Amino acid sequence: MKYLVFCACGHTLEDHVPGGCTDSANGPCGCPRDQLGALEAAVDRAKTEGAIYRSSGDHSETISA
């Protein structure tokens, strides 16, 4: 999961340590979040983007089983 979830800074959870984002490829990026903070931010972002998607566009399509 650490490689599948991305923080708003663009790096995976693997790059986030207690002191912030280390960005193992390029050096620290300045993001202050640890793994839990990065995960929570990603979940919040997904909720917000989902709400925006649900509130916009044509929803005339229905899903049937």
Side-chain angles (χ1 to χ4, degrees), residues 36-56:
L36 181 57
L39 177 60
E40 289 174 344
V43 169
D44 289 343
R45 191 172 67 249
K47 287 179 183 178
T48 301
E49 290 173 0
I52 292 170
Y53 174 76
R54 286 190 305 270
S55 67
S56 66

Side-chain angles (χ1 to χ4, degrees), residues 7-11 15-17 19-24 26-34:
C7 178
C9 72
H11 301 114
D15 289 320
H16 288 77
V17 296
C21 181
T22 62
D23 182 15
S24 58
N26 299 315
C29 78
C31 176
R33 295 181 182 103
D34 61 5

